[in-house]
Amino acid sequence: QAQLVESGGGLVQAGGSLRLSCAARGLSNSMWTMGWFRQAPGKEREFVAAITRTGSNKSYADSVQGRFTISRDNAKNTVSLEMNNLKPEDTAVYYCARYSATYYSRPYDDTRSWNYWGQGTQVTVSS
């Protein structure tokens, strides 16, 4: 069964760092843009970052620009999100996702643009 599996979440103090990983099982992601989203309690799922298939282009939400870094290893079929200088407002469930097309067709920040999702990993930042 094709699935994305996130790991690396946890509890961290404000100012700390975490590294999230997303492993693909049963599907190859090397031809697709990959991304991260997050969803805080009572809020809609929001775009965090995306990386094109070769890693040559990366996009970030304004709220994480300069603090988060997305990367990928196509040989290992993994995508990572390095999160630094974490803030309490970064607290959310973080989801890995695969873009629905092999070419840019819809905005990254639209959840309908992504057709494979992981189950999420909880990130909690304490103040």
Side-chain angles (χ1 to χ4, degrees):
Q1 181 178 358
Q3 56 180 338
L4 300 173
V5 180
E6 302 95 338
S7 62
L11 173 64
V12 64
Q13 289 188 331
S17 299
L18 280 175
R19 182 179 179 88
L20 305 183
S21 294
C22 171
R25 298 176 182 174
L27 73 165
S28 174
N29 295 323
S30 62
M31 295 298 294
W32 278 266
T33 291
M34 298 296 293
W36 288 92
F37 282 71
R38 66 186 181 186
Q39 187 167 18
K43 295 187 177 181
E44 293 185 352
R45 191 169 298 189
E46 66 173 1
F47 171 76
V48 174
I51 184 169
T52 53
R53 56 185 180 180
T54 63
S56 58
N57 289 295
K58 303 175 184 179
S59 299
Y60 297 95
D62 290 343
S63 59
V64 307
Q65 181 75 46
R67 300 188 297 123
F68 290 12
T69 301
I70 189 171
S71 61
R72 67 190 297 163
D73 186 335
N74 287 339
K76 297 181 179 179
N77 214 11
T78 59
V79 180
S80 298
L81 186 68
E82 182 75 30
M83 305 185 296
N84 297 315
N85 190 22
L86 283 161
K87 305 175 180 179
E89 52 263 41
D90 293 319
T91 295
V93 177
Y94 282 71
Y95 298 90
C96 175
R98 193 177 86 172
Y99 197 65
S100 60
T102 55
Y103 54 91
Y104 184 80
S105 59
R106 301 182 70 166
Y108 289 152
D109 61 356
D110 186 343
T111 56
R112 297 171 298 178
S113 301
W114 307 79
N115 62 350
Y116 274 101
W117 295 86
Q119 294 187 331
T121 184
Q122 176 70 48
V123 171
T124 303
V125 184
S126 63
S127 58

